[in-house]
Amino acid sequence: IFSGNTLVSASSYFTYPGVFHVQFLNNDFDNYYESFHLSGTDNVISGNTFKGATYIGTYNAFGDRNYVSNNTFNLLGSEYVELGGSNNYFADNVVEPIFILSNDIGPVVNNSIVRNKFFGDVGVSISEANYTNLSNNTIYSAYNGVGIGYSSYATICDNFIYAASEVIYFDQLTNSEICRNHIESGSTGISMYGANNISLFDNYIVNNTIGVTLGGGRNNLFYNNLFNNSQNILGPDFPSYNNNWNITTTLGTNIVGGPYLGGNYWSDY
């Protein structure tokens, strides 16, 4: 157990050859440039305050099955929290300004990012990560809310995401679900560049300049979403792209309280 310590103007490295089954509890890591760097598995990181760049299982390190919860990452400038590895659980944290999930020296698979609060210029950035669960988070961003690229099988559901630019940005995302989110206040609600085989349903996409920019995405399914934006859709959406905007009419309460599920609600229709 590493508990109750205050480290000022010192970088805390827990790396080679790796740290295993250690609990980091209620510490204050206070270093502007790099406050904490962990390589290892099956660790608990809880109740800490970090005031500098934080790397867990990334930046020439590895990290699997780490439990990161109830921490405050109060970072300055362009510093960020970066998580790598697989089967990690990142929950109930407060992060400012940037959270990154990325591929460093190994696969990034099956990570859960849930019930966090993200504030800053960019909320969450995910790259080369598969089977990511991003759910029940609140994200306020002065620029982009969630960016995800070169990834597959993501679940992005039950989030409140507010951003000034692109609220959600996809670049080469496939086989994923986007559901029950509030996507608000951006220049674009969802940008879908190279996004294929995505199911988007039960989302509130509102108060954006553009609701969805399709960006050449193919084989995507949109149903039971509420669109209320200055312009709801920006194409192109050619028939050959095979995007679908409704399902077979089915009994069930839809997003505006009606008795059937089928298409979407459009403010301009």
Side-chain angles (χ1 to χ4, degrees), residues 66-209:
N66 292 302
Y67 186 93
V68 185
S69 70
N70 293 290
N71 301 285
T72 298
F73 299 88
N74 187 14
L75 314 179
L76 301 174
S78 60
E79 301 301 330
Y80 49 85
V81 182
E82 186 167 355
L83 178 68
S86 298
N87 299 296
N88 296 294
Y89 189 73
F90 190 92
D92 301 301
N93 301 286
V94 177
V95 180
E96 183 178 1
I98 304 170
F99 174 84
I100 298 173
L101 177 68
S102 68
N103 185 334
D104 190 15
I105 61 172
V108 178
V109 179
N110 199 35
N111 292 289
S112 292
I113 306 161
V114 298
R115 299 189 308 275
N116 302 284
K117 294 181 179 179
F118 299 96
F119 305 90
D121 292 339
V122 177
V124 175
S125 177
I126 299 171
S127 179
E128 298 181 75
N130 297 326
Y131 296 97
T132 300
N133 174 24
L134 179 72
S135 298
N136 292 290
N137 301 283
T138 301
I139 302 169
Y140 293 92
S141 173
Y143 191 60
N144 292 338
V146 174
I148 180 167
Y150 297 92
S151 300
S152 297
Y153 301 103
T155 299
I156 303 176
C157 293
D158 301 298
N159 301 287
F160 286 82
I161 311 172
Y162 306 86
S165 185
E166 292 169 308
V167 184
I168 300 180
Y169 178 92
F170 302 145
D171 184 6
Q172 310 304 319
L173 176 68
T174 62
N175 301 303
S176 297
E177 282 193 351
I178 316 300
C179 60
R180 299 183 301 277
N181 300 288
H182 285 253
I183 300 166
E184 301 188 23
S185 304
S187 59
T188 304
I190 303 177
S191 295
M192 302 180 63
Y193 293 97
N196 303 314
N197 299 303
I198 312 296
S199 293
L200 300 97
F201 57 94
D202 299 348
N203 297 289
Y204 291 85
I205 306 170
V206 300
N207 299 324
N208 304 287
T209 305

Side-chain angles (χ1 to χ4, degrees), residues 8-9 31 47 149 153 161 200 226:
V8 179
S9 299
N31 181 24
Y153 301 103
I161 311 172
L200 300 97
L226 190 154

Side-chain angles (χ1 to χ4, degrees), residues 35-49:
S35 62
F36 186 81
H37 192 170
L38 175 72
S39 181
T41 62
D42 299 298
N43 300 292
V44 175
I45 303 166
S46 184
N48 304 283
T49 299

Side-chain angles (χ1 to χ4, degrees), residues 211-226:
V212 174
T213 298
L214 292 171
R218 299 169 187 259
N219 302 308
N220 299 301
L221 172 63
F222 302 78
Y223 72 95
N224 202 42
N225 301 288
L226 190 154

